[in-house]
């Protein structure tokens, strides 16, 4: 899957690029990190994988982290 993060403003100087950690709420899925690279201005893009959970659950969480700045979570359902 392709992921895109667009910020509301520029990052402070010398800040590392944001990244996304993917998982399921309340379930340890192991590490699944999407490294993002600058796509110009305040947009970052990367590619990652969302696996099909053997339990049949489809609710996932994406935690977007900007190192030394903060993070936020997004909860979404996947249609396989």
């Amino acid at each position: 899957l392709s992921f895109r993060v667009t910020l509301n403003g520029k990052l402070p100087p010398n800040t590392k690029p944001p990244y996304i950690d993917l998982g399921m709420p309340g379930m340890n899925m192991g590490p699944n990190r999407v490294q993002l690279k600058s796509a110009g201005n305040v947009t970052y893009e990367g590619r990652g994988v969302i696996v099909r959970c053997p339990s049949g659950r489809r609710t996932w969480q994406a935690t977007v982290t900007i190192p030394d700045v903060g993070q936020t979570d997004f909860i979404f359902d996947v249609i396989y």
Side-chain angles (χ1 to χ4, degrees):
L1 297 171
S2 295
F3 293 86
R4 176 181 294 153
V5 173
T6 302
L7 306 177
N8 283 333
K10 293 190 177 197
L11 292 176
N14 301 318
T15 302
K16 294 180 182 176
Y19 58 85
I20 302 171
D21 286 318
L22 298 170
M24 295 185 109
M27 183 181 290
N28 184 355
M29 300 290 290
N32 187 356
R33 181 166 287 176
V34 179
Q35 298 292 341
L36 301 173
K37 295 182 180 179
S38 178
N41 292 329
V42 293
T43 301
Y44 295 83
E45 296 178 343
R47 294 188 55 82
V49 175
I50 293 179
V51 297
R52 184 182 299 243
C53 181
S55 73
R57 291 178 53 198
R58 297 176 178 208
T59 301
W60 280 78
Q61 177 174 325
T63 301
V64 179
T65 301
I66 302 173
D68 301 321
V69 175
Q71 66 183 35
T72 190
D73 295 320
F74 297 91
I75 305 293
F76 57 96
D77 290 325
V78 174
I79 299 172
Y80 296 107

